Amino acid sequence: MNTNEVVNTFIKDDDIAWEQVGAGVKRKIMSYDERLMLVKVAFEAGGIGSVHQHHHTQITHVESGVFEVEIDGEKQILKTGDGFYIPPNVLHGAVCIEAGVLIDVFSPMREDFMK
């Protein structure tokens, strides 16, 4: 798939399959171009987004659930309606306390998700 093309102009959740990415964690790549990517990540209670870093800027909206989010060594509990910002190359991760969904926006798009 060419990373310069837009995957979905009109984004219909039912048309996009979930991809299992870890124990209790699955994602849908909703749409993207080379500069921007929208990803939905569903967590079961206890699901872990391991601490990691990447060169992308990330903004995440907590669509549902409760999460303990760690950014640059600081932890906070975030719930439905909250969000967080992660600058490039900063360590971050999340643990799901109550099952929920995170909506991630990345700039530029995550080419590693396309492999």
Side-chain angles (χ1 to χ4, degrees):
M1 181 177 296
N2 181 346
T3 58
N4 292 324
E5 69 185 72
V6 173
V7 174
N8 294 311
T9 301
F10 296 99
I11 305 165
K12 295 191 176 186
D13 188 62
D14 290 342
D15 293 344
I16 303 168
W18 287 104
E19 170 190 5
Q20 199 70 37
V21 293
V25 182
K26 59 186 179 179
R27 75 174 169 223
K28 290 184 181 192
I29 297 172
M30 304 303 286
S31 190
Y32 68 91
D33 65 16
E34 70 277 359
R35 296 166 298 169
L36 191 65
M37 177 178 267
L38 179 67
V39 179
K40 181 183 282 194
V41 187
F43 288 78
E44 296 174 8
I48 297 173
S50 298
V51 174
H52 63 286
Q53 66 184 28
H54 44 73
H55 72 273
H56 313 84
T57 298
Q58 177 178 340
I59 294 178
T60 297
H61 169 72
V62 181
E63 178 180 278
S64 62
V66 178
F67 295 83
E68 180 186 67
V69 177
E70 179 177 350
I71 301 171
D72 200 21
E74 180 181 351
K75 294 181 181 180
Q76 290 206 13
I77 303 298
L78 300 176
K79 61 178 178 31
T80 301
D82 295 338
F84 53 94
Y85 167 81
I86 304 163
N89 302 308
V90 171
L91 286 169
H92 61 282
V95 176
C96 183
I97 298 168
E98 292 179 16
V101 174
L102 299 178
I103 306 296
D104 294 333
V105 177
F106 298 100
S107 179
M109 63 89 71
R110 294 285 305 263
E111 290 184 14
D112 55 315
F113 284 6
M114 306 313 297
K115 296 177 183 173

